Amino acid sequence: MTRSTGLRAFAVAGALALALTACTSDSGTSEEPSETSAAGSTDALVIGTLLPQTGTLAFLGPPEIAGVNLAVEEINEAGGVLGNDVVVEHADSSDSDHAEVATQSVTDLLGKGTQVIIGAASSAVTRNVVDDVTNAEVVMISPANTATDLSGRDPFYFRTAPSDLMQGAALGNLVLGDGHTNVGALVFNEDYGTSLRDVLKATVEEAGGTFVYGNAGEEFDPTEQNYSTIVSNALAAKPDALAIIAFAQTQLIVPELKAQGFDMSKVYFVDGNLSDYSADLEPGTLTGVQGTLPGAFPDDEFQGRLKEIDPELKDFSYAAESYDATILAALAAVKGGGTDGKTIQANLAAVSGANGGTEVATFEEGVEALEAGDEITYKAVSGAGPFNDDNDPSSAFIGIYKYGEDNKYTWIKAEFGEL
């Protein structure tokens, strides 16, 4: 497949049923890694994770970590990478308000000889540490970064989640498709928020709508605790739909919106706040709220396999992208014949399908095809297409979800886009 860079229009896609063949033994951490690998090394592949265990995005950590552990388990049951079991080292990224956590975690992971780091979830956290990782010629693959300015950030930086060019367009199309023309947004003043807002605003205005609130200068402080005035200002602009682009702040914003009489069926969430609120908000609070989340809908089989890794999982956001990142890194090492970062970096695009080749759905299938001398196209569980020239997915699905009376969200449909 030719690697392309131009943004194309979205089209609504039907439900995906992605069957995943995986195994059910313990995660592969039994072998200790040898000393830090030199270029071309065939020592054990050490994969580190830099994912949120604390902070405002902590709800994303469990599914992302489960996705990595499931992939490592499958890889090791299939014989490992170049004859050795993969070793996984987990570390906390926290959030951008606790930047020192990710900085220390990266230092620790590099000290343990990691050749690949899966993370971070937050675009702002990635910006704080990406140079430390890539300057060490360690591959960084984020399963959840969406900020547009991270495209092409560094040859050693990849992501399996699409940029906000896709999610913002999908969100705008969803809002417009529901008949809304005067659109507002409650946006926190953080790179993730403003990046996604910019694409949403452009999508609405290009379609002839009006972006009535949430423009530059109308963002709110992420540390805000009292949202009465902020919500009042937004509603004074007379929006007929409101997007909330925030993280944990959403739990404070929503009750204020409801108290001030806004119709919650006209509220839209994004990946940063699409979560199970059944234990946090009064029943019925979110009835009718819709939200967007990059990635194909995780089918029951994949959810079941993840729950074998972590029985407490409630959310599945970015689990598939984390799984895909891990499988791709392992396949790149196999294709290049080395577990060092330079070899993995040089082969990631190829195993994702950038050069075309035999379609494979599992690590085991990929190894068999590579050993037969074939080029391969890994069929991502997340539905993402091959990496393009910016190391972004060349195509992806954006899931559309809707909340019920129980404040839990269910999958409605998906939109497909290409870059």
Side-chain angles (χ1 to χ4, degrees):
M1 180 180 292
T2 302
R3 300 171 77 183
S4 55
T5 56
L7 181 64
R8 301 175 186 169
F10 274 74
V12 175
L16 294 180
L18 296 178
L20 171 67
T21 301
C23 306
T24 56
S25 68
D26 293 336
S27 178
T29 58
S30 58
E31 287 196 15
E32 291 298 319
S34 55
E35 296 299 318
T36 301
S37 300
S41 173
T42 56
D43 291 342
L45 173 60
V46 185
I47 293 179
T49 70
L50 184 68
L51 297 168
Q53 300 174 23
T54 61
T56 55
L57 281 180
F59 74 95
L60 288 179
E64 291 173 334
I65 292 168
V68 172
N69 285 341
L70 176 60
V72 169
E73 177 184 86
E74 180 182 351
I75 292 164
N76 289 343
E77 286 204 346
V81 172
L82 302 177
N84 293 311
D85 276 358
V86 174
V87 177
V88 63
E89 299 283 354
H90 296 297
D92 185 19
S93 67
S94 192
D95 56 28
S96 59
D97 291 329
H98 303 89
E100 72 283 355
V101 174
T103 300
Q104 183 60 53
S105 290
V106 166
T107 298
D108 293 343
L109 290 172
L110 294 179
K112 292 176 178 177
T114 57
Q115 300 102 332
V116 178
I117 292 178
I118 309 298
S122 163
S123 296
V125 170
T126 291
R127 288 194 193 91
N128 288 337
V129 299
V130 63
D131 289 341
D132 295 332
V133 176
T134 59
N135 287 345
E137 295 188 331
V138 169
V139 173
M140 188 173 193
I141 312 175
S142 172
N145 286 168
T146 60
T148 56
D149 68 324
L150 286 173
S151 293
R153 178 65 174 77
D154 187 279
F156 280 77
Y157 170 78
F158 295 76
R159 52 182 166 186
T160 49
S163 79
D164 286 329
L165 290 176
M166 287 192 184
Q167 184 178 192
L171 177 61
N173 289 339
L174 174 63
V175 173
L176 293 165
D178 288 342
H180 305 303
T181 56
N182 295 311
V183 181
L186 290 164
V187 184
F188 66 164
N189 194 17
E190 199 258 9
D191 291 338
Y192 163 81
T194 56
S195 174
L196 187 49
R197 181 274 316 277
D198 289 347
V199 182
L200 170 62
K201 172 182 167 69
T203 303
V204 169
E205 292 180 342
E206 286 170 7
T210 304
F211 202 74
V212 298
Y213 188 80
N215 294 288
E218 295 174 330
E219 305 89 352
F220 65 83
D221 186 333
T223 64
E224 180 64 52
Q225 296 296 310
N226 185 346
Y227 288 91
S228 177
T229 300
I230 293 169
V231 169
S232 295
N233 290 341
L235 297 187
K238 304 296 183 183
D240 54 19
L242 267 177
I244 301 177
I245 305 176
F247 295 154
Q249 302 87 352
T250 303
Q251 290 187 38
L252 298 175
I253 294 171
V254 163
E256 190 60 47
L257 269 176
K258 190 152 188 172
Q260 294 194 30
F262 193 74
D263 183 350
M264 295 302 292
S265 70
K266 298 178 180 179
V267 171
Y268 297 81
F269 286 177
V270 289
D271 61 310
N273 53 14
L274 191 76
S275 185
D276 181 343
Y277 293 99
S278 57
D280 306 305
L281 299 171
E282 290 294 322
T285 300
L286 298 178
T287 303
V289 172
Q290 296 182 77
T292 55
L293 176 67
F297 177 69
D299 66 17
D300 290 342
E301 183 181 7
F302 187 57
Q303 289 186 29
R305 295 185 186 282
L306 289 167
K307 285 185 176 180
E308 290 178 0
I309 297 294
D310 182 355
E312 303 301 317
L313 279 183
K314 294 182 178 180
D315 292 308
F316 298 91
S317 301
Y318 296 114
E321 286 80 2
S322 300
Y323 175 91
D324 290 338
T326 308
I327 296 292
L328 284 164
L331 288 173
V334 172
K335 178 174 174 57
T339 55
D340 58 287
K342 290 177 70 175
T343 298
I344 293 169
Q345 184 275 335
N347 289 279
L348 264 171
V351 296
S352 76
N355 301 329
T358 302
E359 188 173 277
V360 300
T362 68
F363 172 75
E364 186 171 19
E365 289 179 5
V367 171
E368 290 175 358
L370 289 169
E371 289 180 345
D374 296 342
E375 291 287 342
I376 64 171
T377 294
Y378 170 66
K379 184 179 179 182
V381 176
S382 66
F387 291 120
N388 63 20
D389 292 330
D390 289 327
N391 293 342
D392 288 344
S394 56
S395 62
F397 288 89
I398 305 294
I400 309 298
Y401 296 80
K402 192 171 186 177
Y403 282 86
E405 291 285 328
D406 58 359
N407 296 326
K408 297 180 180 180
Y409 59 93
T410 57
W411 183 86
I412 303 299
K413 60 182 179 181
E415 292 194 353
F416 177 77
E418 293 182 301
L419 286 176

